[in-house]
Amino acid sequence: MEQLNSILHSKISTVLELVSEDVKKEVDKYLQQYYDEYDPSFGKSMYDLFYHRTNQLRRCCKIKNFKSVGNITSVEIYLDLDSLNYVSQGADAYKSIVSANAGLHGGYDIANISNGQVSWSKISGNTGASYGSGTQIWKEPVTELINKGKLIEIFKKCAKQRGLKIE
């Protein structure tokens, strides 16, 4: 029984590696969509003075080391605040992620930019509500993965790739 458990644990770990990469790709797809929907260089002079796109947010999705405790093996996919090292005055990694998950770009709804910046007090502590028309960088991929069943599809595909029959 111990030998079987060891073999299954090894297979499941390799499946989880594949699954985590596919889940990260799904989140990265939404981060790219977020970047694609807004071009800050529309006003070149303003862009040069105030904003330089660093693409840090686009690359902030990370996979945390695998963890095994007893018969449970897990992996964490997350948006890494520590990878966001903004040097612009007033830039804040946490606020950037919360704002982006609220569908805002720099606190603005790009579809209604003339309405001005949405106040931080309105979106702070956001649990997934949308305050703008942009892509919600975390809520949308998680909804796709969990509520629409894509995570199960990914797991089945990866399990089959590693020789496990999952129905």
Side-chain angles (χ1 to χ4, degrees):
M1 205 54 180
E2 248 180 73
Q3 217 175 9
L4 176 62
N5 190 28
S6 176
I7 291 168
L8 284 175
H9 185 269
S10 174
K11 286 271 191 196
I12 293 298
S13 293
T14 59
V15 169
L16 268 183
E17 268 184 58
L18 293 172
V19 169
S20 64
E21 288 296 329
D22 281 2
V23 168
K24 182 185 179 310
K25 285 178 189 171
E26 188 69 22
V27 175
D28 286 344
K29 179 178 85 176
Y30 281 89
L31 286 165
Q32 182 63 50
Q33 182 177 314
Y34 176 80
Y35 268 75
D36 289 346
E37 66 196 16
Y38 173 67
D39 181 3
S41 63
F42 69 92
K44 186 72 171 124
S45 61
M46 296 301 279
Y47 179 75
D48 288 339
L49 291 172
F50 298 107
Y51 183 83
H52 297 282
R53 189 171 255 186
T54 64
N55 295 303
Q56 292 178 60
L57 183 61
R58 183 191 333 237
R59 297 185 305 264
C60 77
C61 184
K62 306 292 183 200
I63 300 171
K64 202 170 199 174
N65 295 338
F66 291 82
K67 182 168 64 173
S68 289
V69 178
N71 291 332
I72 297 173
T73 302
S74 63
V75 63
E76 188 176 336
I77 295 102
Y78 63 104
L79 300 180
D80 183 21
L81 282 170
D82 295 331
S83 71
L84 303 176
N85 299 304
Y86 299 128
V87 293
S88 300
Q89 186 176 355
D92 179 279
Y94 176 73
K95 287 181 179 180
S96 294
I97 285 180
V98 171
S99 177
N101 196 48
L104 301 169
H105 288 263
Y108 292 90
D109 178 3
I110 55 171
N112 299 301
I113 207 146
S114 62
N115 288 346
Q117 198 169 31
V118 177
S119 71
W120 174 246
S121 62
K122 185 172 183 176
I123 63 170
S124 66
N126 186 351
T127 57
S130 178
Y131 292 92
S133 57
T135 299
Q136 291 179 270
I137 62 167
W138 188 253
K139 182 181 180 185
E140 288 184 43
V142 168
T143 297
E144 183 81 17
L145 288 160
I146 306 297
N147 297 352
K148 295 185 180 175
K150 191 161 191 173
L151 183 59
I152 293 170
E153 291 173 26
I154 289 171
F155 186 84
K156 286 179 180 180
K157 177 192 77 151
C158 293
K160 287 178 185 174
Q161 286 176 348
R162 290 293 182 222
L164 295 174
K165 186 178 178 184
I166 306 281
E167 294 185 27

